[in-house]
Amino acid sequence: MIPATERATNAVNPARRNFLAFGLLALTGTALAACTTAAADDDDTSAAEETPNDTDIGFFTDMALHHEQALAMCQRVLGRDNGDSVQSLAADILQNQSFERGVMHTWLTVWGESTAPPETVMAWMGMEMPAADMTGLATDEQMSSLSTTTGMDQGRLFLNLMRAHHVGGVHMAAYANEHAAVSTVRATAERMDVIQTYEIGIIDQLLSTTYL
């Protein structure tokens, strides 16, 4: 006969198991962020003496704009009834990308560059285009839908839009990590690549389970 305590443990419902698994993934993501942030901090001393190239300036200028939309996405879903997993992920992205945007604006100011949103983007990658067409950005219509959709449908839409957003961000970060001249830019790009790739994995898990 199976003891009552064991039966209770085995009876944990799938939603609870998924949430616990997500929590473990989130803790791992926080550790990744801490490690990559420490690496970036170690590079700051030498970075002040390095001369930025077009990739350094272009990447920080364009990615700061890219982050602005990610922050707007998170603000649209936080505090809404769209599931604990989406709330946790959106809070993590809001914290990480707010920090990264501040770092990028700080360095642009140090270099004497503008922090205003650019009208054209990605010329530093040989892919110049209007800012509205930047890789991974959601359209105005999609952002409007994210604001008006409710419940788990909003959670699903957020996950799909953020996944596409992250894919675009990883594409730019990987290029910057290869071509930037300043060590802090390369470290920041690597951090973004690692964290956003990791978060894409979380999103894929959620879209294949809770947010089918």
Side-chain angles (χ1 to χ4, degrees):
M1 181 176 179
I2 301 175
T5 53
E6 184 176 344
R7 289 200 305 273
T9 300
N10 291 337
V12 176
N13 63 59
R16 176 63 175 164
R17 286 198 299 271
N18 288 340
F19 179 72
L20 291 173
F22 178 83
L24 180 59
L25 288 172
L27 288 173
T28 305
T30 301
L32 284 173
C35 292
T36 50
T37 300
D41 289 344
D42 289 342
D43 287 335
D44 281 349
T45 301
S46 61
E49 302 174 357
E50 297 170 344
T51 302
N53 62 17
D54 289 344
T55 298
D56 296 295
I57 296 168
F59 173 63
F60 271 9
T61 300
D62 294 356
M63 189 59 84
L65 174 63
H66 207 260
H67 275 26
E68 284 180 12
Q69 189 184 74
L71 298 178
M73 287 184 188
C74 294
Q75 289 162 351
R76 280 165 169 74
V77 301
L78 282 170
R80 305 280 295 276
D81 186 18
N82 45 41
D84 291 338
S85 297
V86 162
Q87 291 295 297
S88 296
L89 181 62
D92 283 348
I93 292 172
L94 186 69
Q95 179 177 341
N96 286 336
Q97 297 209 8
S98 293
F99 167 79
E100 291 169 351
R101 183 171 175 269
V103 169
M104 292 185 285
H105 276 184
T106 297
W107 279 102
L108 288 169
T109 300
V110 167
W111 297 329
E113 300 292 335
S114 173
T115 58
E119 294 183 359
T120 59
V121 296
M122 299 179 72
W124 51 278
M125 294 181 67
M127 299 173 58
E128 186 171 0
M129 64 184 71
D133 297 333
M134 184 161 41
T135 306
L137 288 189
T139 65
D140 289 343
E141 291 77 11
Q142 288 172 324
M143 292 296 289
S144 178
S145 293
L146 187 61
S147 295
T148 57
T149 305
T150 60
M152 299 296 279
D153 288 339
Q154 185 191 48
R156 187 180 305 106
L157 180 58
F158 170 78
L159 293 172
N160 279 300
L161 292 179
M162 189 59 76
R163 188 189 193 285
H165 203 272
H166 273 12
V167 169
V170 167
H171 174 58
M172 289 190 284
Y175 184 94
N177 193 27
E178 290 286 333
H179 297 90
V182 177
S183 55
T184 289
V185 177
R186 294 194 301 273
T188 301
E190 182 179 14
R191 176 185 192 275
M192 291 179 188
D193 190 345
V194 169
I195 292 176
Q196 293 190 34
T197 297
Y198 172 79
E199 288 172 346
I200 289 170
I202 291 177
I203 290 170
D204 286 343
Q205 177 183 336
L206 293 174
L207 288 173
S208 67
T209 54
T210 309
Y211 291 87
L212 274 171

